Amino acid sequence: MSSSIAPAAPPRKAGAREWLGLAVLALPTLLISLDQSVLYLALPHLAEDLQPTGTQTLWIMDVYGFLIAGFLITMGALGDRVGRRKLLMVGAVAVGVTSVAAAYSTSAEALIVTRALLGIAAATLMPSTLALIGNMFQDPYERGRAIAVWAGCFMGGTALGPAIGGMMLESFWWGSVFLLGVPVMVVLLIVGPLVLPEYKNAEAGRTDLFSVVLSLASILSVVYGLKELARYGFAPVPIVAIGVGIGVGAVFVSRQGKLAEPLLDLTLFGVGAFTAALMILMVSMLATGGGYLFISGFLQMVEGLSPMDAGLWMVPSAIASIVAAQLAPVLAKRHPVGVVIGMGLLIGTSGYLMLVFVDPVGGLPLLMAGFVVVFIGVGTFGSLGTALVVGSVPPERGGSAAALSSICGDLGNALGVATLGSLGTAVYRDSLHVPDGTAPNAADAAAASMEDAVAAARNLPPESAENLLTAAADAYTKGLNVIGVACAVITATSAALALALLRTSHGATPTDNVPATRKAQPEAAENSLSNT
């Protein structure tokens, strides 16, 4: 007597409610990326009002990103335990309240505190939104399209932040840039409970508070050290901070392996597609972080554009990334995922190589064309890579997976700014030839960085200022050319990793070939997903 195994039921297709829920989840995603870039424009205005010291200014800029990165793992695990929709709603209230508090801060100290609280609150949004998308869209192809929308909102918000902030500041005071998030959170709080499902791991245990402290200390130390390296170069304090972070991280990993209910499930890294996608994400973001730093600097310091105008010049690259993100799942349905990602990254490599030929005079069109090509690759991997991370783990671990995706991106970006920023600065200093007759103090300032050269030129006679700026622009552009080569090598390496590690069958959708753990999920976890 023969027996046969009934074929698995096809995944449930998303309905109108799920797609409306995606639109709701896109709002906080867009807000987070806007908040990370919009403050650059508001800084001169709030500095005039609050009179912060140099150190306070740095903390106003950095504390938000520090605490988002530091709390991502904790918030991802917390959402898996208490419910992702619940955490998202609590986070929305916290973001709204702290945004208002930041907008009406009356001192630099108050703004630092409110920015810190805003960062902690925002850390609840990223893993919750991405994990909920994984729960709502069971069909791999639909999930890939939904994540493409999510990724497009994040990348678009980053590029549009300076332009939107500039328009706000033309009519309102500096605090208005923080109030952008309030109506978004109000909409989320009203519509979210109606269209978003609740999901939590019914079998999750208590949160290990010591693991929370270890993860926070490790990530904050590493990110702080990388940012200080980018700002001041190699020095004892950032090196020690990175070393401490790595050491604490090792203790954290060791502890997770011994806990019955770890804050971070290390078995996730046993899924090949998951680990490969995180690795490629970190490597590719290393190039993106360093390239974005020098390209934005070229627009403002070599071309002399205002931050808002520079932001507007970056809009085409944002559009390119959004279009690429939407097309990537369609291509992945017909071709192997690794091939689509690899080819997208190779296209990005060609964009970086275009930067090698940019000149200080008349180089803007070529620079922008190269940047658009680069972001075709960024959009392709941002969509498919994130879909691989979320789709290759069981639903009950979706929050942790989403948090790891965000952390790898943040660390790759910070590492790129630190290492490639140092490389570009070294090339600038080696290439700078200060014109004869330049005042000694201005010459010394220009030898430090392009930013210092621009500041020093303001105090020089017009002819001397023009000569100094021309020499500095030439040296900075040579640094950009070298960065283009470095980013091309890094991105080509990412492409090779994708082609070698993401070997999926022809015609696969982003997660068709990596759902083994998803298919083996316990019924208890499946039953904990409700539609109310």
Side-chain angles (χ1 to χ4, degrees):
M1 182 176 180
S2 62
S3 61
S4 61
I5 299 176
R12 178 177 59 86
K13 294 289 186 178
R17 182 176 179 177
E18 283 76 18
W19 291 107
L20 181 58
L22 174 63
V24 174
L25 292 175
L27 293 175
T29 304
L30 185 64
L31 173 67
I32 293 171
S33 57
L34 280 173
D35 274 351
Q36 289 180 328
S37 59
V38 74
L39 188 61
Y40 287 99
L41 281 180
L43 189 61
H45 302 269
L46 69 86
E48 182 178 349
D49 188 17
L50 302 182
Q51 298 294 312
T53 65
T55 300
Q56 288 174 332
T57 298
L58 295 178
W59 278 108
I60 289 171
M61 295 296 298
D62 291 339
V63 70
Y64 175 80
F66 281 168
L67 291 177
I68 284 182
F71 276 94
L72 279 172
I73 287 180
T74 299
M75 295 305 180
L78 187 62
D80 292 341
R81 287 167 166 78
V82 305
R84 291 162 191 167
R85 186 180 68 184
K86 180 184 294 184
L87 182 64
L88 185 63
M89 295 298 105
V90 172
V93 173
V95 167
V97 172
T98 52
S99 294
V100 173
Y104 291 97
S105 295
T106 57
S107 67
E109 293 83 359
L111 184 56
I112 291 170
V113 171
T114 54
R115 285 277 291 171
L117 295 174
L118 182 58
I120 296 172
T124 66
L125 304 181
M126 284 292 282
S128 297
T129 55
L130 191 52
L132 280 170
I133 290 173
N135 300 143
M136 293 159 56
F137 295 90
Q138 300 297 311
D139 178 75
Y141 176 67
E142 290 185 338
R143 184 168 56 247
R145 295 298 303 270
I147 290 176
V149 173
W150 179 92
C153 287
F154 187 80
M155 291 180 285
T158 300
L160 293 174
I164 293 175
M167 290 185 285
M168 294 286 291
L169 292 171
E170 285 185 356
S171 302
F172 306 102
W173 93 114
W174 60 264
S176 65
V177 299
F178 296 111
L179 297 180
L180 285 170
V182 177
V184 171
M185 294 301 105
V186 171
V187 172
L188 177 59
L189 288 168
I190 294 174
V191 183
L194 302 177
V195 298
L196 299 177
E198 181 58 285
Y199 186 94
K200 64 180 178 179
N201 183 2
E203 300 180 354
R206 297 178 60 185
T207 301
D208 180 51
L209 295 181
F210 187 50
S211 293
V212 172
V213 174
L214 288 174
S215 70
L216 186 63
S218 175
I219 295 171
L220 286 181
S221 297
V222 172
V223 173
Y224 170 78
L226 290 174
K227 282 184 173 288
E228 292 299 289
L229 281 179
R231 185 173 287 133
Y232 301 115
F234 288 92
V237 172
I239 296 297
V240 170
I242 293 172
V244 169
I246 292 174
V248 174
V251 175
F252 171 78
V253 170
S254 175
R255 183 173 179 82
Q256 302 316 291
K258 299 174 183 177
L259 294 175
E261 289 292 337
L263 186 69
L264 176 62
D265 185 1
L266 300 181
T267 61
L268 294 178
F269 293 97
V271 182
F274 176 84
T275 304
L278 290 180
M279 182 189 309
I280 298 166
L281 174 63
M282 181 175 289
V283 174
S284 61
M285 283 304 297
L286 193 154
T288 303
Y292 194 94
L293 173 70
F294 265 77
I295 290 170
S296 61
F298 184 95
L299 292 175
Q300 295 183 66
M301 293 183 293
V302 176
E303 292 293 335
L305 300 176
S306 68
M308 186 178 75
D309 289 339
L312 291 173
W313 273 97
M314 291 183 176
V315 169
S317 63
I319 295 174
S321 68
I322 293 170
V323 172
Q326 308 314 307
L327 290 178
V330 178
L331 294 174
K333 195 173 184 180
R334 302 179 180 180
H335 307 283
V337 178
V339 172
V340 178
I341 292 176
M343 294 307 296
L345 291 171
L346 287 176
I347 290 173
T349 299
S350 68
Y352 283 122
L353 289 175
M354 293 171 69
L355 305 185
V356 177
F357 303 100
V358 171
D359 291 323
V361 178
L364 183 58
L366 180 60
L367 177 76
M368 289 296 94
F371 204 36
V372 167
V373 175
V374 164
F375 267 75
I376 292 174
V378 171
T380 301
F381 180 72
S383 172
L384 295 182
T386 305
L388 279 172
V389 171
V390 175
S392 58
V393 302
E396 64 270 19
R397 299 298 187 192
S400 296
L404 284 171
S405 175
S406 297
I407 288 173
C408 284
D410 288 344
L411 289 178
N413 184 77
L415 185 60
V417 171
T419 56
L420 297 180
S422 298
L423 172 63
T425 300
V427 174
Y428 166 84
R429 292 171 178 170
D430 185 63
S431 304
L432 179 65
H433 300 288
V434 178
D436 294 336
T438 302
N441 57 341
D444 292 340
S449 68
M450 179 71 184
E451 292 87 343
D452 291 331
V454 172
R458 297 192 185 103
N459 300 317
L460 294 176
E463 184 177 354
S464 296
E466 182 179 355
N467 292 337
L468 179 61
L469 289 177
T470 299
D474 183 67
Y476 187 88
T477 304
K478 289 180 180 177
L480 173 67
N481 300 150
V482 172
I483 292 300
V485 174
C487 289
V489 171
I490 293 168
T491 307
T493 301
S494 298
L497 289 173
L499 293 169
L501 300 179
L502 300 178
R503 296 177 179 175
T504 57
S505 62
H506 180 81
T509 55
T511 53
D512 277 344
N513 298 285
V514 288
T517 52
R518 182 179 289 273
K519 292 178 180 177
Q521 60 188 298
E523 288 187 11
E526 186 72 42
N527 293 336
S528 65
L529 179 62
S530 66
N531 291 322
T532 60

